[in-house]
Amino acid sequence: MTTATPIQRPASAECRTVLADGRIAIVTASRRPRANRADVKCAVPGSPALAARMQQVIRLARHTEARFDSREQVVVSIDGAPADNDRGWELAAVLADRLVRGIWQPGPGAIAAHGWSDAWHEGTGISGGAHAAAALARACPDAFIVTGAIAGAIAEDAGASVATGNPAPDSPALVLPHLGALSGHTDPASAVSTARAWFPLHSGGVHDALAWVEVSVAPWPADAPGMDEEETIAAPELNAVGQLAIRQVLAAARHFDGRALGRWRTVVRFSETRFHGNSYELALVMADRLARGREFVPRGRLIATGCSGAWHTGRVDPVQELPAKLALIVRQAGAGDRILLPEGNIPGEIADTVLAGTMAAIRAQGATMARIARIGMI
């Protein structure tokens, strides 16, 4: 009987990268006991905003991992401050985090990386500057280069032989179209379902707009250890209070589905994170149901406003400032949009005659509107 070799995990790991001004920076990741701290802590000299962005990137990229152990904290730092618009360090931060946790084991030797993505939660869309990657290859001749740039341009600039997919041991560079290629897997985005729903942001001023909430779900592996539902839901762009609210809403609404619990890993993103109140909740729940195939997809956008004190029963409660939010929706709704409102009203908020007139105006624009008391009955 053979015994599996345990994963060798270093106490710390480094990944070099090149900044926009040509400096070579080192991204360092180290592990320590979680001890009720955040799962990821990041430090960028003199730039708390970039440190927060680094934390978001790492948390989003972890969404593509088949297994995740949150019992340790990973501390990630970079020894040089990138410019605010410099994103080439993102791939190095993701790889350093995977190296120190033993998720990716490329073998001995230095690692260098340059690339970024607008879809880290899907593990795809990795891009990079060919000239920057070539400069990194010249500055780190002994390092294994990982980049999202174009293979031919790097090879031409740096004389590097570049592989796609898993590289041979003597290959000095790897063009990474998606994170699955690190381990020879298919594009992880093929297993991710993403849906958006819109909700009105009303402040009584020129900044009133329809904002979107996006929910991305990936199947939870059947052989993975069981976890509490809220631990599988991430909203990296929100603070701790906002993340807790998102997790509680989705976990309760999925309880209403009966067999939805314990089956998904979820990432939630907002187009605008600076808002107050809970009238976005119905849009969040509907985006989650669309992503999981629990609702019919409208021809246009799904626009919703509503909240609930009992999502586990599927109940939808009325929201405040409904007349102003309705006026905003009427101004911005288009043909094919589907608009959902709570069936109940806050006393004195809006008259049924006004709602009837609003529904007629919305239908005249080619959109549809429904008032609902429960999700799943639309």
Side-chain angles (χ1 to χ4, degrees), residues 192-244:
V192 176
S193 175
T194 299
R196 284 182 180 179
W198 278 256
F199 61 96
L201 276 182
H202 167 66
S203 61
V206 296
H207 299 295
D208 290 359
L210 290 180
W212 54 256
V213 55
E214 178 184 88
V215 176
S216 299
V217 296
W220 186 257
D223 59 343
M227 294 180 66
D228 183 77
E229 185 74 12
E230 293 186 14
E231 294 183 14
T232 67
I233 301 170
E237 298 170 339
L238 302 182
N239 57 26
V241 175
Q243 291 186 51
L244 179 60

Side-chain angles (χ1 to χ4, degrees), residues 15-19 23-27 78 88-89 92 112-115 136:
C15 187
R16 300 175 189 176
T17 189
V18 59
L19 303 183
R23 290 177 295 153
I24 301 299
I26 299 177
V27 178
I78 187 169
W89 52 266
H114 178 269
L136 184 61

Side-chain angles (χ1 to χ4, degrees), residues 277-319:
N278 60 353
S279 60
Y280 68 88
E281 289 183 359
L282 180 57
L284 169 66
V285 170
M286 294 304 299
D288 178 58
R289 291 174 67 84
L290 284 170
R292 294 185 291 110
R294 296 288 289 154
E295 296 289 348
F296 291 105
V297 180
R299 291 186 295 117
R301 298 171 296 178
L302 192 152
I303 304 171
T305 184
C307 60
S308 178
W311 280 117
H312 63 285
T313 67
R315 191 183 77 208
V316 181
D317 296 335
V319 296

Side-chain angles (χ1 to χ4, degrees), residues 10-87:
S12 63
E14 293 182 351
C15 187
R16 300 175 189 176
T17 189
V18 59
L19 303 183
D21 58 7
R23 290 177 295 153
I24 301 299
I26 299 177
V27 178
T28 303
S30 58
R31 292 182 294 106
R32 64 181 182 181
R34 179 75 178 270
N36 294 322
R37 293 179 288 228
D39 53 350
V40 180
K41 179 181 178 181
C42 298
V44 177
S47 183
L50 278 177
R53 170 60 185 166
M54 182 180 291
Q55 185 184 55
Q56 291 176 10
V57 166
I58 292 172
R59 284 175 169 169
L60 288 171
R62 285 181 174 184
H63 179 67
T64 64
E65 298 173 9
R67 295 176 180 270
F68 174 63
D69 188 343
S70 62
R71 290 175 295 181
E72 293 178 313
Q73 183 188 59
V74 175
V75 182
V76 184
S77 63
I78 187 169
D79 63 356
D84 291 342
N85 59 349
D86 184 4
R87 300 183 59 190

